[in-house]
Amino acid sequence: MLPKLFGHRGARPEVENTMAAFREARRQGVSAIETDFHETSDQTLVVMHDGKVDRMTDGKGEISHMTAADVARLKIKGDHAVPTADDVLSFAHDNNLFVDCEIKCPDNPGVEKRIAAKIRQHEMGEHVVITADEPGFLQRMKTEMPEAPTGLVMRAKPLYKPTAMLAAGGAVLGGVAAALTGVPLVAGAVVGLVTVGGAAFHFIKRHLQNKGLNQGSDHLMPHWLLVDKHLVQKAAAQGREVVPYGVNGEARGERLQRLGVYGLITDYPERFTTQ
């Protein structure tokens, strides 16, 4: 069973994915942390949100093109080192923390074997959920490590640009229709924008929801924007827990809890209580 509350990136976005962040999450009382695994060119698992080190460190380049020694020389804001999977799993084991291991390198040949070996080395097989946005990888992971539950990360990014483009098209059509019918042009454009944009948003969201529901992971980890009663009820009927990520606003978290989500993944666990 998954925990109710995950400290996302260790509850310290400004120093995300550092041991200082994870220690702060533990201090705040969370029972679980969420973090991201990448693999170096010499097959060492390291912890960072981005595939590139440019945004978070004093270096530049792709983690996949660096050796473990290259990554070890980098510094994150505040002179923090980039943690390895060993650092995080050892800390979690010693502090009785559950870990959401989001795998950002699912296409690396044989990576599921290395992940399973690392988790078992730290005796964390029953204290992790392995997540990714690649269903094929999750299936391989489940075969390699059946004792660990899997979670499908459901991205909301496909909602943004298509919806905006369709909404713009709706505004144009609405404006044309308004001109032909005598309705004020601006009012017609607004109506077209709202109607077409809203319909496009709903259509794309439902498509992404159903795509996730049709995959074989144990649980669903959607962006909060994808969560509604439809998703929660369908997942429950399949015996799957829904744990949305990116939930930082208190009102948003309360709304999601009312919808019946199992838990939340947040940068600010102190804002939420679990029952």
Side-chain angles (χ1 to χ4, degrees):
M1 183 174 290
L2 300 180
K4 295 283 188 179
L5 187 67
F6 289 83
H8 178 47
R9 301 179 190 168
R12 292 275 302 278
E14 70 276 16
V15 286
E16 64 183 43
N17 293 118
T18 68
M19 296 311 301
F22 301 132
R23 285 191 290 271
E24 174 65 11
R26 184 68 182 122
R27 188 193 67 78
Q28 291 180 5
V30 302
S31 60
I33 56 175
E34 185 273 353
T35 193
D36 308 286
F37 287 8
H38 293 269
E39 200 169 44
T40 63
S41 61
D42 49 357
Q43 298 182 336
T44 296
L45 290 164
V46 297
V47 170
M48 185 174 287
H49 180 269
D50 301 350
K52 286 187 173 183
V53 303
D54 304 41
R55 181 174 69 91
M56 289 301 300
T57 78
D58 57 359
K60 292 185 181 298
E62 297 273 357
I63 292 173
S64 60
H65 297 162
M66 297 179 173
T67 65
D70 293 333
V71 174
R73 285 190 285 270
L74 300 174
K75 294 296 181 182
I76 299 175
K77 180 180 178 181
D79 205 37
H80 299 284
V82 177
T84 64
D86 284 315
D87 294 330
V88 174
L89 292 172
S90 176
F91 175 80
H93 178 273
D94 293 346
N95 288 275
N96 196 30
L97 286 172
F98 192 95
V99 185
D100 174 349
C101 305
E102 183 175 348
I103 309 305
K104 293 289 188 73
C105 52
D107 296 328
N108 287 10
V111 69
E112 61 274 8
K113 295 182 183 297
R114 295 186 288 277
I115 292 166
K118 188 62 63 179
I119 291 171
R120 286 173 176 148
Q121 175 188 337
H122 291 277
E123 301 178 335
M124 288 289 289
E126 296 181 358
H127 302 280
V128 299
V129 58
I130 300 171
T131 63
D133 58 8
E134 291 290 341
F137 163 77
L138 294 177
Q139 291 171 8
R140 297 193 304 275
M141 198 71 237
K142 195 67 178 176
T143 300
E144 187 66 35
M145 196 174 192
E147 69 269 31
T150 59
L152 180 66
V153 178
M154 299 168 60
R155 310 288 184 198
K157 190 174 181 179
L159 280 172
Y160 306 150
K161 289 185 179 180
T163 301
M165 291 173 65
L166 287 170
V172 173
L173 292 174
V176 171
L180 295 175
T181 59
V183 176
L185 188 62
V186 173
V190 170
V191 170
L193 178 69
V194 172
T195 302
V196 177
F201 183 91
H202 178 79
F203 175 82
I204 297 170
K205 181 172 79 169
R206 189 66 82 237
H207 168 73
L208 294 172
Q209 289 174 335
N210 291 336
K211 184 178 178 182
L213 287 163
N214 289 333
Q215 303 296 341
S217 63
D218 295 317
H219 306 294
L220 299 178
M221 326 296 272
H223 185 277
W224 65 264
L225 197 57
L226 290 172
V227 180
D228 59 17
K229 202 69 177 176
H230 168 83
L231 180 66
V232 173
Q233 290 179 342
K234 290 287 188 180
Q238 297 174 351
R240 302 159 86 184
E241 293 164 355
V242 175
V243 184
Y245 70 90
V247 185
N248 289 334
E250 292 181 54
R252 181 174 297 149
E254 290 170 1
R255 179 185 70 81
L256 291 166
Q257 288 174 317
R258 287 194 299 271
L259 286 174
V261 301
Y262 182 80
L264 302 173
I265 302 176
T266 177
D267 290 330
Y268 304 99
E270 73 276 11
R271 296 177 182 174
F272 302 98
T273 58
T274 56
Q275 303 299 323

